[in-house]
Amino acid sequence: MTAHIEDARRVFGPDGWSHGLEKNTPVLETFTRYLHEQGLSPRKLSPQELFAPESLEAFKI
């Protein structure tokens, strides 16, 4: 298992499965641009529009 984890880190980097809007904004910008360019959306959406507003809130416990 350790070898698989090391391979994944080598290929994807230390944070290959990043979470949160901020870390993923560049990918989501590209996604929404393609969505609009391919006629699947009548306008280019912002990444924030893809999620319910309450899901964008951050909490610390």
Side-chain angles (χ1 to χ4, degrees):
M1 185 69 168
T2 303
H4 293 295
I5 293 170
E6 289 171 359
D7 284 343
R9 285 188 180 142
R10 183 177 43 75
V11 172
F12 298 111
D15 193 15
W17 294 275
S18 59
H19 298 287
L21 181 63
E22 186 176 328
K23 289 183 178 182
N24 291 289
T25 294
V27 172
L28 293 170
E29 285 284 353
T30 301
F31 171 74
T32 58
R33 188 179 80 236
Y34 290 166
L35 191 70
H36 176 64
E37 288 174 357
Q38 294 175 17
L40 300 171
S41 175
R43 64 179 179 82
K44 185 183 176 305
L45 301 168
S46 71
Q48 292 82 357
E49 291 178 279
L50 300 174
F51 303 95
E54 52 277 350
S55 71
L56 301 175
E57 296 176 17
F59 297 94
K60 283 189 176 184
I61 297 177

